[in-house]
Amino acid sequence: MSTKEWPLWEVFIRAKQGLNHKHVGSLHAADLQMAIENARDVYTRRMEGVSIWVVESKHVHASEPSEQEALFEPANDKIYRHPTFYDLPEELNHM
Amino acid sequence: MEIKLEALFQDKIDQEIKIEPRDWMPEKYRKTLLRQISQHAHSEIVGMLPEGNWITRAPNLRRKVALLAKVQDEAGHGLYLYSAAETLGMSRDEMFEELHSGKAKYSSIFNYPTLTWADMGAIGWLVDGAAIMNQVPLCRTSYGPYARAMVRVCKEESFHQRQGYEIMLTLSKGTEAQKALAQDALNRWWWPSIMMFGPNDDNSPNSAQSMKWKIKRFSNDELRQKFVDVTVAQTEILGLSIPDKDLKWNEERGHYDFGVIDWEEFFQVVAGNGPCNKQRLKARVDAWENGAWVREAATAYAEKRELRTKNQTEAA
Ligand SMILES: [Fe+2]
Ligand SMILES: [Fe+2]
């Protein structure tokens, strides 16, 4: 007698004020309140967080691994975006 | 095409680039991992039962909160691992179904009974100790979600082993009767603990492929040897003795030699004939079936609430 599985949620935790929320894992919960409570029990038993985000996994849209080159390769040859590209005299410390 | 993809895949592994859920992977890699991670998850969950048995009878509050926290951690470990396994395409309910039907295995150590309070000490010290030995290299396993889950698990494990060792230490420094209790627990848990590393290397057919894919980093026998080597000194501090007359330092190898493992017992327990196999599985199945109405009620409540929110927004 199997009923519907509870939906899957992705969990993001802010470790402390000033840091961004970081993905820590996922869990099942019937609704968002339960997702937050379960995330508290599963992922913050040792003061790992001060804030929790949960997002139902079906709402996460991801880039395709096969598009990796098309998406990220163009940045490879744009070395002029980095400070080390520019030739400046040694005397000029700290710029 | 398949051959080319497979070569690219192996190349990534060799370069220590982690494999992520949506990346191409050989079907056999996916299956091997799914089996290993789900078995690992089942072990964490079933592993709560032998210790859960003593929570209400812990000798004092300090021991009780520690044991409770440890068992709760094991539930957490099961959950991290189930989510890692789900990324390989099997649903949580399918995994439960495999556990409950007996199709999936879990670590056979949990099919032994916990007869005295000293068993809480021996389990934390030896069973969690052996698990740590296995798990630390898994933090670098080639599949990203598994490696990340193992990092969390390993961070939490060291308290488990320390709390167990502290129990053993207290007992072994206590009265004669307490010391005897500790020795008896060591006698019963020693051999099953060193069996936890699995069959000998020459009897472990899938090991080589798992090493090539960097799912495993060390062989069963290597890990077992490491465990024996570190545990001997810990036993001496306790003033207890390991129940193996063949255990002795081998100067030439730089390791302890130890006696022959009774693999017949191991395979009997794996096959379902250990002292507590039926009891453990029944406890899991009962928990699942008796919890069905709670899962249904929560789903119904969530649906009702969603509907109400929708109606409210429409009315506004
Ligand atoms: Fe664990
Ligand atoms: Fe543990």
Side-chain angles (χ1 to χ4, degrees), chain B residues 194-265:
Chain B
I194 64 170
M195 288 179 197
M196 279 175 72
F197 297 95
N200 289 126
D201 294 350
D202 45 17
N203 208 353
S204 177
N206 303 318
S207 245
Q209 183 58 265
S210 284
M211 301 270 266
K212 189 166 173 242
W213 279 331
K214 297 191 178 164
I215 295 174
K216 283 174 80 153
R217 300 267 174 175
F218 298 98
S219 75
N220 296 353
D221 286 331
E222 284 173 311
L223 291 167
R224 185 167 15 244
Q225 182 70 62
K226 273 193 186 185
F227 177 73
V228 171
D229 288 347
V230 301
T231 309
V232 172
Q234 296 167 357
T235 313
E236 280 163 9
I237 296 173
L238 294 173
L240 301 176
S241 53
I242 290 174
D244 178 358
K245 60 176 174 28
D246 298 318
L247 185 82
K248 61 171 184 298
W249 178 251
N250 182 325
E251 191 64 50
E252 211 172 296
R253 294 201 308 126
H255 291 292
Y256 282 93
D257 289 337
F258 51 94
V260 182
I261 292 170
D262 181 1
W263 291 114
E264 178 54 28
E265 174 181 328

Side-chain angles (χ1 to χ4, degrees), chain B residues 4 8 11 23 75 81 88 133 167 198 200 216 252 295:
Chain B
K4 198 175 148 237
L8 279 171
D11 197 47
D23 295 342
L81 287 160
L88 292 160
M133 206 52 97
I167 292 172
N200 289 126
K216 283 174 80 153
E252 211 172 296
R295 294 192 298 278

Side-chain angles (χ1 to χ4, degrees), chain B residues 2 17 19 25 51 78 99 146 159-160 168 178 184 186 189 196 228-229 252 282 305-307 315:
Chain B
E2 188 84 344
I17 297 173
I19 307 302
M25 60 187 84
E51 288 175 299
L99 173 66
Y146 191 24
F159 125 68
H160 298 180
M168 292 302 272
Q178 285 173 316
D184 168 65
L186 170 56
W189 291 96
M196 279 175 72
V228 171
D229 288 347
E252 211 172 296
K282 184 175 183 306
R305 213 159 69 155
E306 198 177 337
L307 200 69

